[in-house]
Structure formats: structure tokens, C-alpha cells
Amino acid sequence: MGVLDGQTSLVTGASRGIGKAIAIALAREGSDIALTYSTNRDPAERVANEIQQMGRKARFYQCNVADPAENDKLVDQLNDDFGTIKVVVNNAGITRDKSFMKMNREMWHDVLNVNLTGPAMVIHRLIIPMIESGGGRIINITSIVGQMGNFGQANYAAAKGGLIALTKTLAREFARKNVTVNAVAPGFIETDMTSEIPEAALKHVCDETPMGRLGKPEEVAAAVVFLASPQASFITGEVLSVNGGMYM
Ligand code: NAI
């Protein structure tokens, strides 16, 4: 018996890293899982297989969240395979870092499209059936960078800060419809996204983090499971930081 028995969850960008940990943690609590990936099919298939071995239903879909036609196709497939999605986790995200003066228009738009417009459009397409089915949960994966800014990440900070503002606005709009909308804001977590940060910069991050280390994807996933669970039924518009105390 899990706290999410009988639920159906969508996790975007769940082929690896934080998204993979979220998909597995939600499944462990009893949810069926629809997961998406952008380019790498095999890792997504492996995550789906792992979830099926737990006895849950799992399907994986190729979908660039920044592409409206692919979003439409995804929603049709979800409808056929699962019916209503009750828990939406907008996890897919990218970085294109450069100091602001060197950042070009393409780097700006790529990051805004994937990290902010993508989640908004996914929610836009899934919210009506969610409301009609009696309610649900939306959880957006933002970032500590959206809360405090970061050198070389103007595009990413703007997108993740925008995602927090979107979360709070939708929390107000859907509160009477039994849909909670929350965000999880990880600090620096051990994934492919942070693997290219130079050693010296990672040491600086650890020095600036009261707990003195990077976080693990599973520690972010635990926060998502809580917000998806019945225990979080009166929490909406919240930004739950999972950052070892780096920003408080
Ligand atoms: P990652 O790079 O390891 O994984 C990103 C996932 O998003 C992959 O599955 C990838 O296929 C998918 N993705 C990328 N572009 C996509 C697109 N256009 N459409 C659909 N899927 C796409 O990243 P990580 O570290 O697991 O990050 C997951 C989320 O957590 C992101 O939103 C990221 O911004 C956020 N985050 C990560 C932190 C970290 O330290 N790793 C810190 C704070 C937030």
C-alpha cells in the first residue's frame, strides 16, 4: 500500500537525473507513470521497465516540451493509454549558460521555451480533464537559481523565476477546483546537468551550502512525493526548497 495507490502521474524529462528519481519514487508509492524524454530513447525505456517490474503501469513517450505539435500528440497518447492524468510533474529543463553580455537571442529563447513555456503549455492541455475528474496535483521543478539568481544564468534564472510566478498564479486560479499547484526548488544536485561544472566551482557551491555537499536526485523526489500525497492536501502556491540550506 502506497500513498499514491490508484493515481496516474506524468513526469516530463524522466529518462535520467531528477526526473528519473521522481518517476521511480512516485511509482514506489503506487502511482502509474507516464514519462517523457527528448532524444534518448533507451534510458527512458529502462526507467519504464524498472517501474513495470514494481507492478505499476508505465509508458514512455518522445516529446519535446517546447514543441506545440509534440505536446498535442503526447496529450492524445496519454488520453488513449491512461485516461486522466492526476499528477503532473514538470521536470524537463535545460541550461544554456553564458554571461548576459555574451548571451544571444537563441540561448535566451531555447531556455525560456523549454523551462517556462513548455510547462505552461503542458498544464494548459491537461488541466481541464484534471478538474473534470475531481482535481489533482501540479508540481513544477524550479531551481534555487530562480530564487536567488546566478552569474551566467540570466535565461535560466528568468525561466525558473517565471515558473515560480506561474505556480503561484495557477495555485490561485485552481484552488477552488481541488487542484494544488506547487513548486520544488532544488539546490545543486548530482546529475548530468551539474556534472560539467568545474571542480573548483562545485567546491565553492559546497562551501556555500550549510550542509556542505550536493543533493541527490532522490532527495528532490521525496519532496515531490510529499506534495503529490494526501498529506499535502492544504498546501498550494508553495515553493519547497531542497537545497541543504544554501538559500533560506
Ligand atoms: P538532466 O539534464 O539530467 O535531465 C533533464 C531531463 O530533461 C532529461 O530527461 C532530458 O531528456 C529532459 N529534457 C531536456 N530538454 C527537454 C525538452 N525540450 N523536452 C522534453 N524533455 C527535455 O537534468 P536534471 O539535473 O535531472 O534536472 C531536472 C530538472 O531539475 C530541470 O528542470 C532542472 O532545471 C532542475 N534543477 C536541477 C538542478 C541540478 O542541480 N541538477 C538544480 C535545480 C533545478
Side-chain angles (χ1 to χ4, degrees), residues 13-19 36-39 63-66 91-94 114-115 141-144 156 160 186-189 191-194:
S15 58
R16 63 179 195 224
I18 293 171
T36 73
Y37 67 99
S38 54
T39 49
C63 176
N64 173 4
V65 292
N91 166 79
I94 57 167
V114 174
N115 295 10
I141 308 302
T142 176
S143 168
I144 191 172
Y156 186 77
K160 293 297 193 181
F188 287 78
I189 309 297
T191 68
D192 289 359
M193 189 178 266
T194 48

Side-chain angles (χ1 to χ4, degrees), residues 18 42 59 108 130 161 173 206 212:
I18 293 171
D42 290 354
R59 298 277 185 280
W108 179 269
M130 185 186 281
E173 291 200 13
C206 292

Side-chain angles (χ1 to χ4, degrees), residues 65-163:
V65 292
D67 183 318
E70 290 191 20
N71 283 344
D72 284 341
K73 186 172 157 214
L74 172 69
V75 170
D76 287 345
Q77 290 170 316
L78 292 176
N79 197 36
D80 290 348
D81 293 345
F82 288 93
T84 307
I85 299 292
K86 299 293 280 181
V87 177
V88 175
V89 183
N90 279 305
N91 166 79
I94 57 167
T95 51
R96 298 279 183 271
D97 299 350
K98 268 282 190 263
S99 66
F100 187 61
M101 281 189 289
K102 293 181 185 156
M103 188 175 285
N104 63 32
R105 191 172 274 267
E106 193 183 354
M107 296 166 90
W108 179 269
H109 283 299
D110 281 355
V111 170
L112 267 290
N113 282 340
V114 174
N115 295 10
L116 179 57
T117 308
M121 292 305 112
V122 168
I123 296 167
H124 199 259
R125 284 170 168 80
L126 294 175
I127 190 66
I128 291 174
M130 185 186 281
I131 289 171
E132 286 174 351
S133 75
R137 300 292 165 91
I138 296 170
I139 301 159
N140 296 319
I141 308 302
T142 176
S143 168
I144 191 172
V145 172
Q147 297 170 301
M148 60 185 279
N150 196 25
F151 189 98
Q153 293 198 300
N155 49 1
Y156 186 77
K160 293 297 193 181
L163 193 55

Side-chain angles (χ1 to χ4, degrees), residues 3-33:
V3 293
L4 298 175
D5 276 348
Q7 300 289 348
T8 304
S9 307
L10 167 69
V11 186
T12 65
S15 58
R16 63 179 195 224
I18 293 171
K20 173 182 174 183
I22 292 170
I24 289 170
L26 292 171
R28 200 168 280 137
E29 288 298 337
S31 180
D32 291 335
I33 304 290

